[in-house]
Amino acid sequence: MKFSPALMDLIEALRCLPGVGPKSAQRMTLHLLERDREGATALAEALQYAMARVDHCQRCRNFTELDICEICSDSRRDRHMICVVETPADVLAVEQSGSYRGLYFVLMGHLSPIDGIGPVEIGLDKFQQRVVEEGIEEVILATNPTVEGEATAYYLSDMLLPRGIKVSRIAHGVPLGGELEYVDGSTLAHAFSGRRKLEQ
Amino acid sequence: MKFSPALMDLIEALRCLPGVGPKSAQRMTLHLLERDREGATALAEALQYAMARVDHCQRCRNFTELDICEICSDSRRDRHMICVVETPADVLAVEQSGSYRGLYFVLMGHLSPIDGIGPVEIGLDKFQQRVVEEGIEEVILATNPTVEGEATAYYLSDMLLPRGIKVSRIAHGVPLGGELEYVDGSTLAHAFSGRRKLEQ
């Protein structure tokens, strides 16, 4: 004997959430049925809306339900600078540090040839095109300080420097082996102000 | 700057799940959008189906999408015995122990006068009616070994004993696999007072 089919299905479905095992999924299911049916219905609607509408911004590849995201279409931002990050959470972290007012490009990952993730998979063809078309003068490489992030940054600098574009890598304050998403704002601000110019 | 509205709504909606804070909700949202949109859509459907269909079994108050749950309508079970538990999770725990083949009654809580939860709120009017109508002979009180659970068990025994119904309380004592050294004093006191004589 188990729970009834509708409950079992919900318990199983909740396991698509990262960090939710069978026991938590069971607890969540009973909690929602007992105490928060309204919240559960709102969650179902938010999930459906987001999955149906949210796609990548056509310019920066960040998640948005618009064609061009709010940052890319914000005329008050410095349009000659692009900060390259790995994930949407990294954009949020950089924004929260308040130390950057340019545009972004979100790789949605990093180069990882062993997993079949090459330059095209992280949108570098689109990025290169953007750099040319939009007359970008400076690129800040804010990929994670991990082996893959560093390799991706190196690849990018190799692509940009011959074009005479000013390229820098965030440096100070970001601890190696950590993830950008979890770095506090002032550390990130240090990382931005202390960026080093890369030479050919 | 934050995420776009659809993402912010989903992050907020996920917080209805117990144990999910702002950071986990953000991580879940990005994970679903990046890697498991199918799972997210299935989750939305499972939530909507469960919230629309699942109600209490008319006999035992357990959660089910049927009028009468599978346990209550199972003719192979002993129909003269009822085990009273606090939550649907307790039913599952008892079932998994494989030590009981009778029926259940789920209180969906316990007596707690300070919170306005009296006998009617935990369905004891319905329970009393069932005991009479179904000719129940034995009731096992399996409420939690907490102050409220004990009080609820005491209230139930007080209600049932005058009707000549056999009433028992599940044994409290040292859990199997545990070490005596780490068992708390009141549990040990129960273990001693409830000791069973061994016969040759």
Side-chain angles (χ1 to χ4, degrees), chain B residues 122-158:
Chain B
I122 57 171
L124 294 193
D125 47 342
K126 188 184 268 178
F127 176 66
Q128 195 161 17
Q129 187 191 349
R130 236 189 109 178
V131 167
V132 175
E133 284 176 3
E134 298 179 20
I136 301 300
E137 292 161 7
E138 181 169 357
V139 172
I140 298 176
L141 303 174
T143 51
N144 285 332
T146 57
V147 174
E148 295 88 351
E150 294 291 353
T152 307
Y154 183 79
Y155 184 95
L156 277 159
S157 69
D158 226 33

PDB file of all heavy atoms in Angstrom, chain B residues 122-158:
ATOM      1  N   ILE B 122     -11.121  17.379  14.676  1.00  0.00           N
ATOM      2  CA  ILE B 122     -10.339  16.203  14.284  1.00  0.00           C
ATOM      3  C   ILE B 122     -11.269  15.022  13.956  1.00  0.00           C
ATOM      4  O   ILE B 122     -10.844  13.870  13.913  1.00  0.00           O
ATOM      5  CB  ILE B 122      -9.274  15.813  15.353  1.00  0.00           C
ATOM      6  CG1 ILE B 122      -9.913  15.550  16.717  1.00  0.00           C
ATOM      7  CG2 ILE B 122      -8.202  16.902  15.468  1.00  0.00           C
ATOM      8  CD1 ILE B 122      -8.940  14.966  17.738  1.00  0.00           C
ATOM      9  N   GLY B 123     -12.551  15.344  13.697  1.00  0.00           N
ATOM     10  CA  GLY B 123     -13.492  14.354  13.157  1.00  0.00           C
ATOM     11  C   GLY B 123     -13.984  13.317  14.133  1.00  0.00           C
ATOM     12  O   GLY B 123     -14.466  12.244  13.721  1.00  0.00           O
ATOM     13  N   LEU B 124     -13.939  13.597  15.435  1.00  0.00           N
ATOM     14  CA  LEU B 124     -14.313  12.549  16.392  1.00  0.00           C
ATOM     15  C   LEU B 124     -15.809  12.264  16.397  1.00  0.00           C
ATOM     16  O   LEU B 124     -16.220  11.165  16.789  1.00  0.00           O
ATOM     17  CB  LEU B 124     -13.803  12.888  17.797  1.00  0.00           C
ATOM     18  CG  LEU B 124     -12.275  12.898  17.931  1.00  0.00           C
ATOM     19  CD1 LEU B 124     -11.862  12.934  19.388  1.00  0.00           C
ATOM     20  CD2 LEU B 124     -11.662  11.663  17.265  1.00  0.00           C
ATOM     21  N   ASP B 125     -16.642  13.220  15.922  1.00  0.00           N
ATOM     22  CA  ASP B 125     -18.080  12.943  15.803  1.00  0.00           C
ATOM     23  C   ASP B 125     -18.295  11.847  14.754  1.00  0.00           C
ATOM     24  O   ASP B 125     -19.026  10.883  14.974  1.00  0.00           O
ATOM     25  CB  ASP B 125     -18.858  14.216  15.440  1.00  0.00           C
ATOM     26  CG  ASP B 125     -18.213  14.987  14.299  1.00  0.00           C
ATOM     27  OD1 ASP B 125     -17.015  14.748  14.007  1.00  0.00           O
ATOM     28  OD2 ASP B 125     -18.898  15.839  13.693  1.00  0.00           O
ATOM     29  N   LYS B 126     -17.590  11.997  13.621  1.00  0.00           N
ATOM     30  CA  LYS B 126     -17.662  11.018  12.542  1.00  0.00           C
ATOM     31  C   LYS B 126     -17.082   9.664  13.000  1.00  0.00           C
ATOM     32  O   LYS B 126     -17.616   8.602  12.696  1.00  0.00           O
ATOM     33  CB  LYS B 126     -16.852  11.537  11.349  1.00  0.00           C
ATOM     34  CG  LYS B 126     -16.987  10.714  10.106  1.00  0.00           C
ATOM     35  CD  LYS B 126     -16.064  11.243   9.013  1.00  0.00           C
ATOM     36  CE  LYS B 126     -16.756  12.253   8.112  1.00  0.00           C
ATOM     37  NZ  LYS B 126     -15.842  12.796   7.095  1.00  0.00           N
ATOM     38  N   PHE B 127     -15.997   9.752  13.777  1.00  0.00           N
ATOM     39  CA  PHE B 127     -15.356   8.529  14.269  1.00  0.00           C
ATOM     40  C   PHE B 127     -16.296   7.742  15.181  1.00  0.00           C
ATOM     41  O   PHE B 127     -16.453   6.523  15.039  1.00  0.00           O
ATOM     42  CB  PHE B 127     -14.066   8.907  15.009  1.00  0.00           C
ATOM     43  CG  PHE B 127     -13.369   7.733  15.633  1.00  0.00           C
ATOM     44  CD1 PHE B 127     -12.806   6.731  14.847  1.00  0.00           C
ATOM     45  CD2 PHE B 127     -13.275   7.615  17.015  1.00  0.00           C
ATOM     46  CE1 PHE B 127     -12.156   5.645  15.418  1.00  0.00           C
ATOM     47  CE2 PHE B 127     -12.625   6.528  17.592  1.00  0.00           C
ATOM     48  CZ  PHE B 127     -12.072   5.548  16.790  1.00  0.00           C
ATOM     49  N   GLN B 128     -16.948   8.457  16.090  1.00  0.00           N
ATOM     50  CA  GLN B 128     -17.861   7.821  17.045  1.00  0.00           C
ATOM     51  C   GLN B 128     -19.006   7.119  16.303  1.00  0.00           C
ATOM     52  O   GLN B 128     -19.337   5.969  16.589  1.00  0.00           O
ATOM     53  CB  GLN B 128     -18.433   8.907  17.971  1.00  0.00           C
ATOM     54  CG  GLN B 128     -19.094   8.357  19.219  1.00  0.00           C
ATOM     55  CD  GLN B 128     -19.211   9.424  20.298  1.00  0.00           C
ATOM     56  OE1 GLN B 128     -19.093  10.615  20.028  1.00  0.00           O
ATOM     57  NE2 GLN B 128     -19.443   8.997  21.535  1.00  0.00           N
ATOM     58  N   GLN B 129     -19.531   7.829  15.314  1.00  0.00           N
ATOM     59  CA  GLN B 129     -20.617   7.284  14.495  1.00  0.00           C
ATOM     60  C   GLN B 129     -20.168   6.004  13.785  1.00  0.00           C
ATOM     61  O   GLN B 129     -20.891   5.010  13.749  1.00  0.00           O
ATOM     62  CB  GLN B 129     -20.983   8.360  13.471  1.00  0.00           C
ATOM     63  CG  GLN B 129     -22.208   8.061  12.624  1.00  0.00           C
ATOM     64  CD  GLN B 129     -22.329   9.060  11.469  1.00  0.00           C
ATOM     65  OE1 GLN B 129     -21.609  10.072  11.447  1.00  0.00           O
ATOM     66  NE2 GLN B 129     -23.218   8.788  10.539  1.00  0.00           N
ATOM     67  N   ARG B 130     -18.933   6.038  13.275  1.00  0.00           N
ATOM     68  CA  ARG B 130     -18.389   4.882  12.567  1.00  0.00           C
ATOM     69  C   ARG B 130     -18.238   3.681  13.485  1.00  0.00           C
ATOM     70  O   ARG B 130     -18.556   2.544  13.114  1.00  0.00           O
ATOM     71  CB  ARG B 130     -16.986   5.251  12.053  1.00  0.00           C
ATOM     72  CG  ARG B 130     -16.816   5.072  10.572  1.00  0.00           C
ATOM     73  CD  ARG B 130     -15.371   5.238  10.192  1.00  0.00           C
ATOM     74  NE  ARG B 130     -14.796   3.964   9.819  1.00  0.00           N
ATOM     75  CZ  ARG B 130     -13.541   3.802   9.406  1.00  0.00           C
ATOM     76  NH1 ARG B 130     -12.730   4.843   9.329  1.00  0.00           N
ATOM     77  NH2 ARG B 130     -13.096   2.615   9.083  1.00  0.00           N
ATOM     78  N   VAL B 131     -17.721   3.959  14.689  1.00  0.00           N
ATOM     79  CA  VAL B 131     -17.499   2.885  15.662  1.00  0.00           C
ATOM     80  C   VAL B 131     -18.808   2.167  15.951  1.00  0.00           C
ATOM     81  O   VAL B 131     -18.871   0.928  15.994  1.00  0.00           O
ATOM     82  CB  VAL B 131     -16.886   3.457  16.964  1.00  0.00           C
ATOM     83  CG1 VAL B 131     -16.939   2.435  18.076  1.00  0.00           C
ATOM     84  CG2 VAL B 131     -15.455   3.904  16.722  1.00  0.00           C
ATOM     85  N   VAL B 132     -19.891   2.942  16.095  1.00  0.00           N
ATOM     86  CA  VAL B 132     -21.201   2.365  16.385  1.00  0.00           C
ATOM     87  C   VAL B 132     -21.742   1.617  15.165  1.00  0.00           C
ATOM     88  O   VAL B 132     -22.077   0.436  15.234  1.00  0.00           O
ATOM     89  CB  VAL B 132     -22.195   3.476  16.814  1.00  0.00           C
ATOM     90  CG1 VAL B 132     -23.598   2.902  17.001  1.00  0.00           C
ATOM     91  CG2 VAL B 132     -21.708   4.151  18.088  1.00  0.00           C
ATOM     92  N   GLU B 133     -21.788   2.307  14.023  1.00  0.00           N
ATOM     93  CA  GLU B 133     -22.420   1.750  12.827  1.00  0.00           C
ATOM     94  C   GLU B 133     -21.704   0.527  12.265  1.00  0.00           C
ATOM     95  O   GLU B 133     -22.335  -0.383  11.753  1.00  0.00           O
ATOM     96  CB  GLU B 133     -22.495   2.815  11.723  1.00  0.00           C
ATOM     97  CG  GLU B 133     -23.588   3.848  11.975  1.00  0.00           C
ATOM     98  CD  GLU B 133     -23.577   4.945  10.937  1.00  0.00           C
ATOM     99  OE1 GLU B 133     -22.764   4.875   9.990  1.00  0.00           O
ATOM    100  OE2 GLU B 133     -24.362   5.889  11.084  1.00  0.00           O
ATOM    101  N   GLU B 134     -20.378   0.541  12.342  1.00  0.00           N
ATOM    102  CA  GLU B 134     -19.628  -0.554  11.734  1.00  0.00           C
ATOM    103  C   GLU B 134     -19.324  -1.686  12.705  1.00  0.00           C
ATOM    104  O   GLU B 134     -18.656  -2.654  12.353  1.00  0.00           O
ATOM    105  CB  GLU B 134     -18.317  -0.011  11.123  1.00  0.00           C
ATOM    106  CG  GLU B 134     -18.563   1.007  10.015  1.00  0.00           C
ATOM    107  CD  GLU B 134     -17.275   1.555   9.427  1.00  0.00           C
ATOM    108  OE1 GLU B 134     -16.209   0.918   9.586  1.00  0.00           O
ATOM    109  OE2 GLU B 134     -17.323   2.637   8.824  1.00  0.00           O
ATOM    110  N   GLY B 135     -19.792  -1.561  13.930  1.00  0.00           N
ATOM    111  CA  GLY B 135     -19.562  -2.612  14.911  1.00  0.00           C
ATOM    112  C   GLY B 135     -18.083  -2.862  15.180  1.00  0.00           C
ATOM    113  O   GLY B 135     -17.620  -4.001  15.198  1.00  0.00           O
ATOM    114  N   ILE B 136     -17.331  -1.787  15.366  1.00  0.00           N
ATOM    115  CA  ILE B 136     -15.901  -1.898  15.633  1.00  0.00           C
ATOM    116  C   ILE B 136     -15.674  -2.523  17.013  1.00  0.00           C
ATOM    117  O   ILE B 136     -16.314  -2.131  17.988  1.00  0.00           O
ATOM    118  CB  ILE B 136     -15.241  -0.494  15.564  1.00  0.00           C
ATOM    119  CG1 ILE B 136     -15.440   0.147  14.188  1.00  0.00           C
ATOM    120  CG2 ILE B 136     -13.758  -0.560  15.941  1.00  0.00           C
ATOM    121  CD1 ILE B 136     -14.863  -0.615  13.017  1.00  0.00           C
ATOM    122  N   GLU B 137     -14.750  -3.494  17.065  1.00  0.00           N
ATOM    123  CA  GLU B 137     -14.497  -4.187  18.330  1.00  0.00           C
ATOM    124  C   GLU B 137     -13.223  -3.738  19.019  1.00  0.00           C
ATOM    125  O   GLU B 137     -13.101  -3.829  20.231  1.00  0.00           O
ATOM    126  CB  GLU B 137     -14.408  -5.705  18.063  1.00  0.00           C
ATOM    127  CG  GLU B 137     -15.752  -6.299  17.649  1.00  0.00           C
ATOM    128  CD  GLU B 137     -15.591  -7.644  16.964  1.00  0.00           C
ATOM    129  OE1 GLU B 137     -14.462  -8.183  16.930  1.00  0.00           O
ATOM    130  OE2 GLU B 137     -16.600  -8.160  16.448  1.00  0.00           O
ATOM    131  N   GLU B 138     -12.264  -3.306  18.182  1.00  0.00           N
ATOM    132  CA  GLU B 138     -10.980  -2.938  18.775  1.00  0.00           C
ATOM    133  C   GLU B 138     -10.440  -1.656  18.142  1.00  0.00           C
ATOM    134  O   GLU B 138     -10.511  -1.471  16.929  1.00  0.00           O
ATOM    135  CB  GLU B 138      -9.967  -4.074  18.567  1.00  0.00           C
ATOM    136  CG  GLU B 138      -8.617  -3.760  19.175  1.00  0.00           C
ATOM    137  CD  GLU B 138      -7.680  -4.959  19.213  1.00  0.00           C
ATOM    138  OE1 GLU B 138      -8.088  -6.072  18.823  1.00  0.00           O
ATOM    139  OE2 GLU B 138      -6.522  -4.767  19.635  1.00  0.00           O
ATOM    140  N   VAL B 139      -9.881  -0.793  18.990  1.00  0.00           N
ATOM    141  CA  VAL B 139      -9.280   0.453  18.489  1.00  0.00           C
ATOM    142  C   VAL B 139      -7.848   0.549  19.002  1.00  0.00           C
ATOM    143  O   VAL B 139      -7.595   0.375  20.204  1.00  0.00           O
ATOM    144  CB  VAL B 139     -10.084   1.693  18.944  1.00  0.00           C
ATOM    145  CG1 VAL B 139      -9.345   2.976  18.589  1.00  0.00           C
ATOM    146  CG2 VAL B 139     -11.472   1.698  18.304  1.00  0.00           C
ATOM    147  N   ILE B 140      -6.920   0.772  18.070  1.00  0.00           N
ATOM    148  CA  ILE B 140      -5.514   0.952  18.455  1.00  0.00           C
ATOM    149  C   ILE B 140      -5.184   2.437  18.335  1.00  0.00           C
ATOM    150  O   ILE B 140      -5.364   3.034  17.269  1.00  0.00           O
ATOM    151  CB  ILE B 140      -4.574   0.143  17.531  1.00  0.00           C
ATOM    152  CG1 ILE B 140      -4.890  -1.349  17.654  1.00  0.00           C
ATOM    153  CG2 ILE B 140      -3.115   0.428  17.876  1.00  0.00           C
ATOM    154  CD1 ILE B 140      -4.085  -2.219  16.703  1.00  0.00           C
ATOM    155  N   LEU B 141      -4.745   3.023  19.436  1.00  0.00           N
ATOM    156  CA  LEU B 141      -4.429   4.454  19.427  1.00  0.00           C
ATOM    157  C   LEU B 141      -2.964   4.647  19.062  1.00  0.00           C
ATOM    158  O   LEU B 141      -2.072   4.322  19.846  1.00  0.00           O
ATOM    159  CB  LEU B 141      -4.737   5.066  20.791  1.00  0.00           C
ATOM    160  CG  LEU B 141      -6.191   4.876  21.260  1.00  0.00           C
ATOM    161  CD1 LEU B 141      -6.362   5.379  22.688  1.00  0.00           C
ATOM    162  CD2 LEU B 141      -7.162   5.567  20.319  1.00  0.00           C
ATOM    163  N   ALA B 142      -2.727   5.157  17.848  1.00  0.00           N
ATOM    164  CA  ALA B 142      -1.341   5.338  17.383  1.00  0.00           C
ATOM    165  C   ALA B 142      -1.041   6.816  17.140  1.00  0.00           C
ATOM    166  O   ALA B 142      -0.348   7.163  16.195  1.00  0.00           O
ATOM    167  CB  ALA B 142      -1.096   4.501  16.129  1.00  0.00           C
ATOM    168  N   THR B 143      -1.580   7.676  17.998  1.00  0.00           N
ATOM    169  CA  THR B 143      -1.229   9.101  17.909  1.00  0.00           C
ATOM    170  C   THR B 143       0.223   9.259  18.349  1.00  0.00           C
ATOM    171  O   THR B 143       0.796   8.355  18.968  1.00  0.00           O
ATOM    172  CB  THR B 143      -2.147   9.955  18.806  1.00  0.00           C
ATOM    173  OG1 THR B 143      -2.148   9.372  20.115  1.00  0.00           O
ATOM    174  CG2 THR B 143      -3.566   9.980  18.266  1.00  0.00           C
ATOM    175  N   ASN B 144       0.813  10.408  18.036  1.00  0.00           N
ATOM    176  CA  ASN B 144       2.225  10.630  18.364  1.00  0.00           C
ATOM    177  C   ASN B 144       2.482  10.656  19.874  1.00  0.00           C
ATOM    178  O   ASN B 144       1.617  11.080  20.632  1.00  0.00           O
ATOM    179  CB  ASN B 144       2.687  11.964  17.773  1.00  0.00           C
ATOM    180  CG  ASN B 144       2.885  11.885  16.277  1.00  0.00           C
ATOM    181  OD1 ASN B 144       3.188  10.825  15.742  1.00  0.00           O
ATOM    182  ND2 ASN B 144       2.709  13.006  15.605  1.00  0.00           N
ATOM    183  N   PRO B 145       3.660  10.218  20.290  1.00  0.00           N
ATOM    184  CA  PRO B 145       4.009  10.261  21.724  1.00  0.00           C
ATOM    185  C   PRO B 145       4.432  11.658  22.151  1.00  0.00           C
ATOM    186  O   PRO B 145       5.520  11.863  22.673  1.00  0.00           O
ATOM    187  CB  PRO B 145       5.152   9.254  21.828  1.00  0.00           C
ATOM    188  CG  PRO B 145       5.781   9.242  20.486  1.00  0.00           C
ATOM    189  CD  PRO B 145       4.714   9.597  19.493  1.00  0.00           C
ATOM    190  N   THR B 146       3.558  12.637  21.886  1.00  0.00           N
ATOM    191  CA  THR B 146       3.800  14.029  22.321  1.00  0.00           C
ATOM    192  C   THR B 146       2.717  14.372  23.320  1.00  0.00           C
ATOM    193  O   THR B 146       1.772  13.598  23.506  1.00  0.00           O
ATOM    194  CB  THR B 146       3.669  14.995  21.134  1.00  0.00           C
ATOM    195  OG1 THR B 146       2.367  14.828  20.561  1.00  0.00           O
ATOM    196  CG2 THR B 146       4.711  14.709  20.059  1.00  0.00           C
ATOM    197  N   VAL B 147       2.828  15.543  23.947  1.00  0.00           N
ATOM    198  CA  VAL B 147       1.818  15.939  24.934  1.00  0.00           C
ATOM    199  C   VAL B 147       0.427  15.932  24.292  1.00  0.00           C
ATOM    200  O   VAL B 147      -0.514  15.346  24.826  1.00  0.00           O
ATOM    201  CB  VAL B 147       2.137  17.340  25.506  1.00  0.00           C
ATOM    202  CG1 VAL B 147       1.012  17.804  26.416  1.00  0.00           C
ATOM    203  CG2 VAL B 147       3.451  17.317  26.271  1.00  0.00           C
ATOM    204  N   GLU B 148       0.311  16.537  23.105  1.00  0.00           N
ATOM    205  CA  GLU B 148      -0.994  16.622  22.440  1.00  0.00           C
ATOM    206  C   GLU B 148      -1.476  15.251  21.979  1.00  0.00           C
ATOM    207  O   GLU B 148      -2.671  14.946  22.082  1.00  0.00           O
ATOM    208  CB  GLU B 148      -0.927  17.546  21.214  1.00  0.00           C
ATOM    209  CG  GLU B 148      -0.628  18.993  21.523  1.00  0.00           C
ATOM    210  CD  GLU B 148       0.872  19.279  21.566  1.00  0.00           C
ATOM    211  OE1 GLU B 148       1.667  18.317  21.515  1.00  0.00           O
ATOM    212  OE2 GLU B 148       1.239  20.462  21.656  1.00  0.00           O
ATOM    213  N   GLY B 149      -0.543  14.431  21.470  1.00  0.00           N
ATOM    214  CA  GLY B 149      -0.900  13.099  21.008  1.00  0.00           C
ATOM    215  C   GLY B 149      -1.397  12.236  22.167  1.00  0.00           C
ATOM    216  O   GLY B 149      -2.379  11.494  22.035  1.00  0.00           O
ATOM    217  N   GLU B 150      -0.733  12.341  23.303  1.00  0.00           N
ATOM    218  CA  GLU B 150      -1.132  11.580  24.493  1.00  0.00           C
ATOM    219  C   GLU B 150      -2.503  12.042  24.974  1.00  0.00           C
ATOM    220  O   GLU B 150      -3.360  11.233  25.343  1.00  0.00           O
ATOM    221  CB  GLU B 150      -0.110  11.756  25.623  1.00  0.00           C
ATOM    222  CG  GLU B 150       1.273  11.159  25.354  1.00  0.00           C
ATOM    223  CD  GLU B 150       1.286   9.629  25.324  1.00  0.00           C
ATOM    224  OE1 GLU B 150       0.262   9.008  25.638  1.00  0.00           O
ATOM    225  OE2 GLU B 150       2.340   9.069  24.960  1.00  0.00           O
ATOM    226  N   ALA B 151      -2.711  13.369  24.979  1.00  0.00           N
ATOM    227  CA  ALA B 151      -3.994  13.916  25.428  1.00  0.00           C
ATOM    228  C   ALA B 151      -5.115  13.434  24.519  1.00  0.00           C
ATOM    229  O   ALA B 151      -6.200  13.075  24.991  1.00  0.00           O
ATOM    230  CB  ALA B 151      -3.936  15.444  25.443  1.00  0.00           C
ATOM    231  N   THR B 152      -4.834  13.406  23.209  1.00  0.00           N
ATOM    232  CA  THR B 152      -5.834  12.946  22.247  1.00  0.00           C
ATOM    233  C   THR B 152      -6.144  11.471  22.477  1.00  0.00           C
ATOM    234  O   THR B 152      -7.314  11.054  22.456  1.00  0.00           O
ATOM    235  CB  THR B 152      -5.323  13.169  20.805  1.00  0.00           C
ATOM    236  OG1 THR B 152      -4.918  14.539  20.666  1.00  0.00           O
ATOM    237  CG2 THR B 152      -6.402  12.864  19.786  1.00  0.00           C
ATOM    238  N   ALA B 153      -5.099  10.680  22.716  1.00  0.00           N
ATOM    239  CA  ALA B 153      -5.293   9.242  22.987  1.00  0.00           C
ATOM    240  C   ALA B 153      -6.116   9.046  24.257  1.00  0.00           C
ATOM    241  O   ALA B 153      -7.021   8.201  24.302  1.00  0.00           O
ATOM    242  CB  ALA B 153      -3.935   8.554  23.122  1.00  0.00           C
ATOM    243  N   TYR B 154      -5.830   9.855  25.244  1.00  0.00           N
ATOM    244  CA  TYR B 154      -6.552   9.750  26.515  1.00  0.00           C
ATOM    245  C   TYR B 154      -8.030  10.079  26.310  1.00  0.00           C
ATOM    246  O   TYR B 154      -8.919   9.385  26.791  1.00  0.00           O
ATOM    247  CB  TYR B 154      -5.931  10.703  27.541  1.00  0.00           C
ATOM    248  CG  TYR B 154      -6.574  10.608  28.895  1.00  0.00           C
ATOM    249  CD1 TYR B 154      -6.244   9.565  29.770  1.00  0.00           C
ATOM    250  CD2 TYR B 154      -7.524  11.541  29.295  1.00  0.00           C
ATOM    251  CE1 TYR B 154      -6.857   9.456  31.003  1.00  0.00           C
ATOM    252  CE2 TYR B 154      -8.149  11.441  30.522  1.00  0.00           C
ATOM    253  CZ  TYR B 154      -7.814  10.394  31.381  1.00  0.00           C
ATOM    254  OH  TYR B 154      -8.431  10.289  32.599  1.00  0.00           O
ATOM    255  N   TYR B 155      -8.289  11.137  25.539  1.00  0.00           N
ATOM    256  CA  TYR B 155      -9.661  11.554  25.243  1.00  0.00           C
ATOM    257  C   TYR B 155     -10.415  10.425  24.526  1.00  0.00           C
ATOM    258  O   TYR B 155     -11.562  10.115  24.842  1.00  0.00           O
ATOM    259  CB  TYR B 155      -9.641  12.819  24.385  1.00  0.00           C
ATOM    260  CG  TYR B 155     -11.004  13.391  24.096  1.00  0.00           C
ATOM    261  CD1 TYR B 155     -11.538  14.402  24.895  1.00  0.00           C
ATOM    262  CD2 TYR B 155     -11.767  12.918  23.030  1.00  0.00           C
ATOM    263  CE1 TYR B 155     -12.800  14.926  24.644  1.00  0.00           C
ATOM    264  CE2 TYR B 155     -13.032  13.432  22.769  1.00  0.00           C
ATOM    265  CZ  TYR B 155     -13.542  14.430  23.574  1.00  0.00           C
ATOM    266  OH  TYR B 155     -14.778  14.941  23.323  1.00  0.00           O
ATOM    267  N   LEU B 156      -9.742   9.806  23.553  1.00  0.00           N
ATOM    268  CA  LEU B 156     -10.358   8.731  22.780  1.00  0.00           C
ATOM    269  C   LEU B 156     -10.661   7.508  23.651  1.00  0.00           C
ATOM    270  O   LEU B 156     -11.735   6.908  23.550  1.00  0.00           O
ATOM    271  CB  LEU B 156      -9.430   8.325  21.622  1.00  0.00           C
ATOM    272  CG  LEU B 156      -9.538   9.200  20.381  1.00  0.00           C
ATOM    273  CD1 LEU B 156      -8.287   9.091  19.526  1.00  0.00           C
ATOM    274  CD2 LEU B 156     -10.762   8.779  19.556  1.00  0.00           C
ATOM    275  N   SER B 157      -9.697   7.166  24.527  1.00  0.00           N
ATOM    276  CA  SER B 157      -9.911   5.985  25.375  1.00  0.00           C
ATOM    277  C   SER B 157     -11.097   6.240  26.311  1.00  0.00           C
ATOM    278  O   SER B 157     -11.906   5.350  26.567  1.00  0.00           O
ATOM    279  CB  SER B 157      -8.649   5.647  26.165  1.00  0.00           C
ATOM    280  OG  SER B 157      -8.406   6.641  27.133  1.00  0.00           O
ATOM    281  N   ASP B 158     -11.210   7.477  26.755  1.00  0.00           N
ATOM    282  CA  ASP B 158     -12.299   7.882  27.634  1.00  0.00           C
ATOM    283  C   ASP B 158     -13.655   7.771  26.935  1.00  0.00           C
ATOM    284  O   ASP B 158     -14.679   7.519  27.555  1.00  0.00           O
ATOM    285  CB  ASP B 158     -12.068   9.347  28.028  1.00  0.00           C
ATOM    286  CG  ASP B 158     -12.269   9.546  29.513  1.00  0.00           C
ATOM    287  OD1 ASP B 158     -11.965   8.607  30.283  1.00  0.00           O
ATOM    288  OD2 ASP B 158     -12.724  10.639  29.893  1.00  0.00           O
TER     289      ASP B 158
END
